[in-house]
Amino acid sequence: MSLKNNIDVAICTFMQTANNQGQVLQAYALQKFIKNNYPYLIVRNFNQNDFNWHFYQKKYIDKKYDKLSQKGKIQADKFNEFKQKYLTFEKENFIAKAYICGSDQIWNNYERSLDDARLDLNYFTLEFAKKLNPEARTFSYAPSFGRVEFSPEFIEFFKENLSKLDDISVREKANLDNLEEWGLKGQVVCDPTLLLSANEWNEIAENFNSKDKIFFYSMRPDTYIKIQDIYNEFGKNNAIFTFANQGASDTDYTSYPSPQEFLGGIRDAKCVITNSFHCTCFCVIFHTPFFMLASTDEAQNERQKTLLSFTGLDDFIIRDKKEIDFEKFKNIDWENVDIKLQEFRKRGVEFLKNNLKGL
């Protein structure tokens, strides 16, 4: 059976999670940016069923719905509604003129051997694309490896697969160093969420009653400052607590925002405390003061370090509770941050422009 071939751009990225805010919002952002700036292009998220990333599917997606708490089920339904409303899919696989892999940690092997990871990584390095359309343009937009050290077998795999792409960009400066060590050319570009302005995000943001409160969002427990210490310090009356990959059990202080409410919660908060890269991105976009809790796994800090280095906000990565000093917020020059962010954003805009021209 012949495949549909009237699609211009296919995007291959993470987007199927039940409750990872950054994952679905970065997928939305890249699709939204291309549609806004190239309205003549037909853009779709590529159907992942035939090129399944089995490990990620098993670890994060195939958690039984009936095992979620009641609040977890409500949040999962909100995520599904968001994806159905804002992310454009095709029911069948198709042939495209250009294939984009990224953003997010699509090149992370998640501690697997190459044999276990090969199927997923082949998909997210677009190994299949030229087989579907030998004339297709293939490139990466701001993906991450989620690490900076690799075994020899993974180095050889990435050298071979990534060398076949027509152009390469990555999200972290440390991963650009990896590429250069492997003899590959690339560049650092901003995360897709940063391609959109605050006004564009406000088009979908919804109120989450965070005004005059601290908004806390955690991706992982391995931070120098423990989450329980944050809760003990600020308490449920002064802060909103929410987590990625939550939903197995409820607590009396855990909130379950939709992606739209997540945006509104960050925008309206007095300040944000987080260890999430994408949450930090939205703080920068909305001019919301924040502290970024550093992970004890320093490789996981590379994406935040790249972002905050470009925007001049390095001082807000913290490793000790004593560094939570709200007086520091007075020193943030948001006008200067915006100038630096615009320079960083321009890299991504030009990269996409160069790779989408002629379609």
Side-chain angles (χ1 to χ4, degrees):
M1 184 179 72
S2 61
L3 296 179
K4 189 173 183 178
N5 63 0
N6 67 334
I7 307 300
D8 295 305
V9 180
I11 300 174
C12 304
T13 188
F14 289 160
M15 68 189 78
Q16 302 288 20
T17 180
N19 49 23
N20 184 321
Q21 304 283 359
Q23 188 182 105
V24 296
L25 290 170
Q26 65 82 24
Y28 165 83
L30 183 56
Q31 177 183 282
K32 173 76 170 174
F33 177 83
I34 295 174
K35 286 185 173 182
N36 282 358
N37 291 274
Y38 303 90
Y40 54 89
L41 295 179
I42 300 174
V43 184
R44 297 289 186 270
N45 288 289
F46 197 72
N47 187 342
Q48 298 162 339
N49 292 337
D50 289 350
F51 303 92
N52 220 339
W53 23 306
H54 293 291
F55 168 81
Y56 195 85
Q57 182 98 6
K58 181 177 180 181
K59 184 174 182 181
Y60 293 109
I61 299 171
D62 287 343
K63 294 179 178 178
K64 297 297 185 183
Y65 183 84
D66 58 10
K67 290 185 178 180
L68 293 175
S69 66
Q70 186 59 38
K71 290 181 180 179
K73 289 177 181 178
I74 292 172
Q75 187 183 41
D77 291 340
K78 290 178 180 179
F79 267 72
N80 287 331
E81 290 171 6
F82 178 88
K83 284 180 280 191
Q84 290 171 11
K85 184 174 182 179
Y86 292 112
L87 296 180
T88 310
F89 299 88
E90 287 289 326
K91 292 183 179 179
E92 304 293 336
N93 282 322
F94 54 86
I95 296 172
K97 296 177 183 177
Y99 293 84
I100 308 173
C101 55
S103 177
D104 223 339
Q105 296 187 43
I106 57 171
W107 293 344
N108 193 332
N109 67 18
Y110 292 98
E111 308 300 334
R112 294 171 293 167
S113 69
L114 181 57
D115 286 342
D116 289 339
R118 189 185 300 275
L119 183 64
D120 303 340
L121 293 177
N122 273 339
Y123 174 76
F124 284 118
T125 54
L126 304 179
E127 183 267 346
F128 65 90
K130 296 286 188 181
K131 297 175 182 176
L132 291 178
N133 180 8
E135 304 300 318
R137 183 156 188 82
T138 58
F139 61 96
S140 63
Y141 187 82
S144 170
F145 292 94
R147 64 190 63 245
V148 295
E149 297 181 354
F150 303 85
S151 66
E153 63 176 358
F154 276 104
I155 292 175
E156 289 306 310
F157 172 87
F158 283 120
K159 285 173 65 174
E160 178 180 354
N161 278 33
L162 298 185
S163 67
K164 297 174 183 177
L165 296 178
D166 294 310
D167 208 351
I168 304 173
S169 68
V170 290
R171 196 172 63 183
E172 283 96 68
K173 173 62 171 64
N175 287 157
L176 179 62
D177 295 339
N178 291 129
L179 293 178
E180 292 174 347
E181 290 172 6
W182 303 340
L184 299 172
K185 293 182 179 180
Q187 60 180 286
V188 175
V189 296
C190 67
D191 187 83
T193 57
L194 299 170
L195 292 171
L196 303 184
S197 67
N199 286 338
E200 288 172 304
W201 284 114
N202 277 328
E203 292 174 6
I204 64 170
E206 296 178 2
N207 175 53
F208 198 57
N209 298 318
S210 61
K211 186 174 176 58
D212 297 325
K213 291 186 177 182
I214 297 169
F215 187 89
F216 177 87
Y217 178 64
S218 177
M219 280 292 299
R220 47 195 299 132
D222 59 346
T223 51
Y224 291 95
I225 304 171
K226 299 306 177 187
I227 294 170
Q228 188 62 44
D229 291 342
I230 299 291
Y231 178 72
N232 292 341
E233 179 78 16
F234 300 107
K236 64 181 179 181
N237 294 325
N238 298 315
I240 293 174
F241 286 79
T242 184
F243 302 86
N245 302 318
Q246 64 185 7
S249 60
D250 293 330
T251 70
D252 62 350
Y253 65 85
T254 303
S255 299
Y256 294 78
S258 68
Q260 300 96 315
E261 292 168 333
F262 177 76
L263 293 169
I266 295 168
R267 178 195 60 195
D268 300 334
K270 175 173 66 175
C271 74
V272 169
I273 299 176
T274 188
N275 57 13
S276 158
F277 168 73
H278 285 111
C279 187
T280 306
C281 287
F282 290 116
C283 291
V284 174
I285 292 168
F286 287 125
H287 295 181
T288 302
F290 67 92
F291 290 110
M292 205 293 290
L293 306 179
S295 170
T296 55
D297 178 358
E298 286 294 335
Q300 291 297 321
N301 298 323
E302 288 299 328
R303 46 195 169 164
Q304 287 94 331
K305 287 164 63 176
T306 296
L307 167 65
L308 300 182
S309 175
F310 271 105
T311 53
L313 294 168
D314 313 64
D315 289 345
F316 295 93
I317 301 178
I318 61 173
R319 292 173 171 78
D320 191 302
K321 192 157 65 75
K322 295 177 182 178
E323 296 178 78
I324 300 179
D325 179 4
F326 298 115
E327 290 297 310
K328 291 174 66 175
F329 294 153
K330 296 178 181 179
N331 299 324
I332 301 178
D333 182 349
W334 287 114
E335 184 175 346
N336 188 52
V337 169
D338 281 344
I339 291 171
K340 293 180 177 181
L341 178 59
Q342 186 58 34
E343 293 173 355
F344 192 23
R345 181 182 287 134
K346 185 177 179 180
R347 291 183 175 208
V349 172
E350 289 298 314
F351 181 85
L352 289 168
K353 178 181 177 181
N354 291 335
N355 281 285
L356 294 174
K357 65 183 178 183
L359 293 184

